Amino acid sequence: MADDYVRRTAITRLEVTDEQRDLLKDTISEWKRGCQIAMDMAWGKCSAKSDVQPLAYDDVREHTDLGSQHAILATHQAAQAITGCIERRSKGKKVSKPTFTAPTVKYDTRTMTLFDDDTVSLSTTESRVRCDLALPDADDGYQRQYLDSDEWSVTESTLTARDGDYHLHIGFRRHKNDTERNTAEDGTVLGVDLGIENLAVTSTAYFFSGRELTHNLREFEKVRAGLQQTGTRSAHRTLEQSSDRELRYVRDVLHRASNAIVDEALRYDCDVIVFEDLTHIRDRTGASWGHKWAFRTLYEQVEYKAEAEGISVKQVGSAYTSKRCAECGFTADENRPTRNDFRCVKCESEANADYNAAKNIGMRYVRRGQQSSRRTGNSQLALKSGTVTPSGGFTAHPEGFEAEFMDKPHPPRANPSG
């Protein structure tokens, strides 16, 4: 949006010795402590990096083994977390003081150096360690498009400990060209799946339940059928009153759902919200007429509210979005053993079926931009943990959301199909 850079993250495991592993483990521990010290001092007092740094820097240095630059970065991390809390509070959400528990540590160009021999030097609490990047054997691994390019420069990165291994999320950025700056439709995309069990599910794993709506629509239908069968004038008046109550109730549900979807798009800094084509949604979902009307009204409400925020709303073809694996791309009827569950018979990944569909819907729009002459092809899909591109480039969210299994970046497949 206001950022003049395109940002991507390349993730790779590090080859570390036992001694290096201990140093990195200690650094992560001290980093979490440093961030918490800065948070405790600044909470309720200030949120800007320029205010938190002078307030907490000396204490972070005194009470941790972090070097000077890492102490500065810890104060900045605390400031960023406080700013996020203030933004959520402004939207009426309850917030409490964050605690830093994630096994991560931030690096910048002063604390990390990448070398041409596929090694990286990292500052620790004692000395620098130089480790090999465990890159794929193939030269066409997605990391190479950033590591071997003069166009992309290294920016802030994150080291994460997971299952005894250390993974480096290397941040890259490049300047946007004029077309990218002017093309909102090639920004970050939020995919949305509509359904019966869940009225709406987003690619960022936000679920808006549809159970209450489905139950009440059925109850209204029973009442309506009974009154129509009675056929008296009194029954007709009661039918009109019931219909008014039904309409008010459904509009209230859709108002809350549309607000939630737009809020999710704003939270993840999305430029586009994408739904599946609603033309045949009744046939695909087994929806009642009331549901079909609700889906269309919800889409229209999102479109109206999103437009006011400068966010585009689009539709994409719905074919196979419910049966296609968002992890490996394999499409089969057998992938949907039940209405709610998705289990890929090829790669064995599992997910909520609606969540899997939401990611397929969003990624279909992202991929479509790569073949469009009217778009730049630089879209990325918003996930709970970060953003991902069709080529496998992954950018983690700054708030440190934990990646889910289905959010893992993966290399591009040959001839991907929608």
Side-chain angles (χ1 to χ4, degrees), residues 53-71:
Q53 182 177 326
L55 175 70
Y57 173 79
D58 288 342
D59 281 69
V60 173
R61 286 284 280 153
E62 182 178 351
H63 298 293
T64 73
D65 293 330
L66 295 176
S68 58
Q69 186 61 20
H70 260 142

Side-chain angles (χ1 to χ4, degrees), residues 35-47:
C35 291
Q36 199 62 54
I37 290 170
M39 173 63 69
D40 293 343
M41 295 184 70
W43 183 253
K45 297 177 183 175
C46 55
S47 60

Side-chain angles (χ1 to χ4, degrees), residues 322 333-343 351-354:
S322 64
D333 291 344
E334 294 78 12
N335 286 348
R336 288 288 300 275
T338 68
R339 168 178 278 187
N340 297 327
D341 297 321
F342 186 95
R343 298 193 189 101
N352 174 277
D354 297 333

Side-chain angles (χ1 to χ4, degrees), residues 55-175:
L55 175 70
Y57 173 79
D58 288 342
D59 281 69
V60 173
R61 286 284 280 153
E62 182 178 351
H63 298 293
T64 73
D65 293 330
L66 295 176
S68 58
Q69 186 61 20
H70 260 142
I72 292 171
L73 292 175
T75 66
H76 292 178
Q77 184 76 3
Q80 188 176 47
I82 295 170
T83 299
C85 288
I86 293 172
E87 290 175 356
R88 288 193 291 276
R89 186 184 293 142
S90 69
K91 296 177 182 176
K93 298 179 181 179
K94 292 183 179 180
V95 298
S96 55
K97 184 172 70 173
T99 56
F100 292 89
T101 58
T104 64
V105 55
K106 286 287 177 67
Y107 281 89
D108 63 3
T109 52
R110 294 187 181 183
T111 50
M112 180 188 88
T113 305
L114 278 176
F115 296 97
D116 291 339
D117 62 352
D118 294 336
T119 62
V120 62
S121 172
L122 301 169
S123 294
T124 70
T125 50
E126 292 185 23
S127 58
R128 279 195 169 236
V129 296
R130 187 160 175 172
C131 315
D132 289 324
L133 303 176
L135 294 166
D137 292 334
D139 290 337
D140 60 354
Y142 84 92
Q143 297 95 336
R144 286 291 175 201
Q145 63 188 295
Y146 309 112
L147 289 167
D148 297 344
S149 171
D150 293 334
E151 190 179 18
W152 294 90
S153 60
V154 178
T155 182
E156 195 169 89
S157 304
T158 303
L159 179 71
T160 300
R162 186 168 69 243
D163 300 329
D165 288 327
Y166 286 91
H167 298 262
L168 190 60
H169 297 232
I170 310 169
F172 291 90
R173 72 179 188 182
R174 65 167 173 78
H175 282 285

